[in-house]
Amino acid sequence: MSNLKDFLFTSESVSEGHPDKVSDRISDMVVDTYLSKDPYARVACETLTTTNKVVLAGEVRGPEINKEDLIKNVRDCIKNIGYDQEGFTWKEATKIESHLHAQSSDIAMGVDSKGNKDEGAGDQGIMFGYACDETDVLMPAPIHYSHKILRLMAEDRKSGKLKNIEPDSKSQVTFEYINEKPVKVKSVVISSQHSANVSQKEVREILRPYMLKSIPKEFIEDFNDDEFYVNPTGNFVIGGPDGDCGLTGRKIIVDTYGGAAPHGGGAFSGKDPTKVDRSAAYAARYIAKNIVASKISDKCLIQLAYAIGVSKPLSIYVNLFDNDLDKNRFVKEKIKENFDLSPRGIREMLGLNKAIYEKTASYGHFGRTPEKDGSFSWENTDKISVFTK
């Protein structure tokens, strides 16, 4: 396509049974376990998953958590995802090791608030937030519908409605954009682990309804069925951590905007909310979503930059993609006046010192529904009036 406003764009998602997502889930469970005992606990947990083995490593500061209780919680995560296979199971055949240890005193010294010194950022870094009007949750269409396919599959698999499909799955949706707006789906890919007694043709027909149910009809009215790809390489019986080693933090684009916006590089899972990798990315999304929800812009990109031990962001960048400099200045001033973007300010604004993170580890951290327990608070649109001229 010659016009830069007309293009194809693709995003992928992975299921909660993908080995990297199993690792993210376990790391966020560790965060929740500590925060449930002490809302101000510090946690930085990495998880490795492989054939019948899970290894936890990282730094913590807070309450004493019995190692056996933590190991039981790991098994509960694996069981809930649905793994009871020869190469990876929630049962005793999978060995679980914990190598969590005390947080570095050097890091604590730079981050803690003392006397008149406000709490500093836990690390340097840049974080991005993005929102656009392509879907009702103000997320880019390709990643939103990629997530939805896998989420619906998981719900039916766990309820028993979906047979012969195992936990490890991936999806990918390609949209055609005209004048920078999504107009139709060009291709869909679903790769899913399955039981050994079904053919690829059967798997294709089992999964087709999830594509049709997930994507609005107007986007697939003239969809070419030859562009629906299911397990393109053939058999997918061995999967999950048995088929591929999983690590925390390797699916940062799946976690955010599917590549439709920049990413600062820091992962979210396994980190308590004092880490601006996580909390500032949530704050940036919160601001961007409220800007787009106020209808002063079709899309918005926010960048925040921090230095370790410094409480306020070093810079705030705003892009409304419309070359309206006066509007851009107006939005930037409103952000400075109405949002405390220090680590402490973000946590208080969004209520982040709670055990709300395990459920963020699958199907994206953004575009979700805020819940009564405070989870996904950054998806609220309660600051629209701030940006209404």
Side-chain angles (χ1 to χ4, degrees):
M1 296 183 182
S2 58
N3 188 339
L4 291 177
K5 293 179 179 291
D6 301 343
F7 52 87
L8 300 180
F9 194 83
T10 304
S11 295
E12 72 155 349
S13 180
V14 299
S15 71
E16 63 202 75
H18 185 283
D20 293 332
K21 281 286 143 204
V22 175
S23 296
D24 284 344
R25 166 83 173 263
I26 291 169
S27 291
D28 274 337
M29 174 278 295
V30 173
V31 173
D32 282 356
T33 299
Y34 277 87
L35 291 180
S36 66
K37 302 285 186 183
D38 177 1
Y40 302 99
R42 301 288 172 83
V43 183
C45 175
E46 311 294 341
T47 301
L48 176 147
T49 54
T50 187
T51 303
N52 283 335
K53 179 162 282 195
V54 176
V55 180
L56 308 181
E59 303 80 48
V60 296
R61 182 163 57 128
E64 286 292 324
I65 303 290
N66 184 288
K67 185 180 286 191
E68 291 308 310
D69 290 342
L70 210 54
I71 288 172
K72 178 188 179 299
N73 290 351
V74 172
R75 295 195 189 282
D76 288 344
C77 285
I78 298 169
K79 185 177 184 180
N80 180 266
I81 292 168
Y83 277 114
D84 187 13
Q85 301 171 359
E86 185 178 346
F88 196 70
T89 175
W90 60 274
K91 296 174 183 173
E92 295 297 322
T94 292
K95 305 304 177 189
I96 301 170
E97 301 175 13
S98 176
H99 301 281
L100 297 169
H101 60 83
Q103 183 189 51
S104 158
S105 57
D106 288 349
I107 292 176
M109 180 177 64
V111 173
D112 289 349
S113 56
K114 288 183 179 177
N116 294 322
K117 175 183 173 293
D118 195 8
E119 176 189 298
D123 200 355
Q124 71 176 49
I126 55 174
M127 296 83 209
F128 289 93
Y130 181 72
C132 62
D133 65 359
E134 294 176 15
T135 60
D136 58 355
V137 293
L138 306 186
M139 285 288 287
I143 188 67
H144 177 67
Y145 296 117
S146 294
H147 284 324
K148 190 172 181 181
I149 290 169
L150 297 181
R151 195 180 72 247
L152 295 180
M153 285 170 55
E155 288 170 1
D156 283 358
R157 175 178 58 79
K158 290 180 173 183
S159 73
K161 183 179 178 181
L162 178 59
K163 310 289 187 185
N164 294 308
I165 296 299
E166 301 295 334
D168 189 0
S169 302
K170 301 173 79 172
S171 64
Q172 186 170 285
V173 178
T174 300
F175 266 84
E176 179 180 356
Y177 283 70
I178 295 178
N179 199 26
E180 298 186 340
K181 296 294 184 182
V183 295
K184 65 179 178 179
V185 170
K186 293 292 285 184
S187 66
V188 176
V189 183
I190 306 176
S191 295
S192 185
Q193 185 186 17
H194 57 86
S195 59
N197 60 347
V198 289
S199 68
Q200 292 308 308
K201 185 177 180 181
E202 289 172 311
V203 173
R204 181 185 173 91
E205 294 314 308
I206 288 170
L207 297 183
R208 184 191 302 276
Y210 293 93
M211 173 191 70
L212 298 175
K213 188 176 178 181
S214 299
I215 301 171
K217 286 186 172 61
E218 64 264 27
F219 291 132
I220 51 173
E221 281 178 337
D222 58 352
F223 182 70
N224 180 356
D225 198 58
D226 290 342
E227 296 296 321
F228 178 44
Y229 302 93
V230 175
N231 289 355
T233 58
N235 254 23
F236 188 178
V237 175
I238 299 172
D242 186 28
D244 191 11
C245 177
L247 292 170
T248 302
R250 284 205 301 202
K251 289 292 176 283
I252 57 178
I253 300 303
V254 171
D255 285 344
T256 53
Y257 307 102
H263 194 293
F268 303 157
S269 290
K271 297 175 181 177
D272 74 74
T274 66
K275 277 70 170 177
V276 285
D277 276 350
R278 179 168 222 158
S279 58
Y282 291 171
R285 162 64 178 175
Y286 179 54
I287 295 169
K289 186 173 184 181
N290 275 273
I291 289 169
V292 174
S294 76
K295 300 190 182 301
I296 64 168
S297 180
D298 292 345
K299 55 183 174 178
C300 175
L301 178 70
I302 305 285
Q303 184 206 57
L304 305 174
Y306 291 85
I308 190 167
V310 180
S311 64
K312 298 294 183 183
L314 304 184
S315 67
I316 302 172
Y317 167 83
V318 180
N319 189 347
L320 302 178
F321 301 92
D322 58 7
N323 297 315
D324 186 333
L325 296 181
D326 288 337
K327 190 199 294 182
N328 201 284
R329 288 192 201 98
F330 166 79
V331 166
K332 196 167 181 180
E333 285 306 310
K334 289 297 181 180
I335 292 171
K336 289 180 178 178
E337 291 169 8
N338 292 276
F339 298 88
D340 181 350
L341 295 173
S342 66
R344 184 199 303 276
I346 291 171
R347 292 202 314 279
E348 291 177 353
M349 173 175 67
L350 297 177
L352 298 181
N353 285 105
K354 300 174 184 174
I356 55 173
Y357 297 103
E358 187 178 335
K359 64 184 76 173
T360 68
S362 307
Y363 314 115
H365 293 245
F366 307 127
R368 307 289 291 274
T369 303
E371 298 182 13
K372 289 181 179 179
D373 65 358
S375 54
F376 306 107
S377 58
W378 48 93
E379 291 297 309
N380 282 310
T381 51
D382 53 354
K383 296 288 187 180
I384 293 174
S385 61
V386 168
F387 301 104
T388 304
K389 288 186 178 182

